[in-house]
Amino acid sequence: MTAMFPTGRFDLRRPCSSAKAGEAAAEFEKEQKRREAERRREEVARERDLKRREKVGESSRGAGQGRARDAKKAADLQAEAGTVEKSSRAEDGRWERERERLQAAVRWARD
């Protein structure tokens, strides 16, 4: 093996000791394991993000169906409101006629 300069370049003129070679190999393996662990963490994070995005996509598709359901409910409520309004006008008309009848009876009683 060869030794390295402090700048990180190899000095091909000086041989490296086996102890330094062992240290370098151990350091290399340690760095390799660290990179592999980091790669696994990133992969897990990507899978988690993918699942989250799929879930959001499913819920947005469900929301589309929910909007259709809400539109149907709104239409049903609007139709019911029209029916209630119609019956309310009819009831108001009946009370108006009753009020007029009672006012006529009061006027007749006074005269």
Side-chain angles (χ1 to χ4, degrees):
M1 302 266 339
T2 59
M4 290 184 67
F5 282 116
T7 59
R9 295 183 307 153
F10 286 103
D11 181 7
L12 300 177
R13 295 172 290 171
R14 288 191 286 169
C16 185
S17 69
S18 62
K20 286 187 179 182
E23 289 176 17
E27 186 67 30
F28 177 76
E29 286 182 31
K30 182 178 175 183
E31 183 65 21
Q32 218 173 11
K33 286 180 183 179
R34 185 192 65 77
R35 287 181 184 168
E36 180 63 26
E38 184 178 349
R39 187 194 61 77
R40 281 193 304 264
R41 280 193 300 272
E42 289 173 356
E43 182 65 28
V44 167
R46 272 194 297 275
E47 288 178 13
R48 187 175 47 238
D49 288 345
L50 180 63
K51 286 180 183 177
R52 183 184 52 79
R53 287 180 185 157
E54 287 174 354
K55 186 175 180 181
V56 167
E58 289 172 3
S59 66
S60 67
R61 284 190 292 276
Q65 293 171 353
R67 282 192 294 268
R69 250 191 329 268
D70 291 346
K72 184 178 181 338
K73 282 183 183 178
D76 292 346
L77 288 173
Q78 196 169 13
E80 186 177 335
T83 303
V84 168
E85 183 65 29
K86 183 178 176 182
S87 65
S88 174
R89 283 193 304 267
E91 187 71 21
D92 288 344
R94 283 191 293 275
W95 279 111
E96 185 63 29
R97 286 190 299 276
E98 182 67 18
R99 186 176 67 81
E100 288 173 1
R101 185 186 68 78
L102 290 172
Q103 285 176 345
V106 167
R107 279 193 305 268
W108 182 79
R110 287 186 186 162
D111 289 337

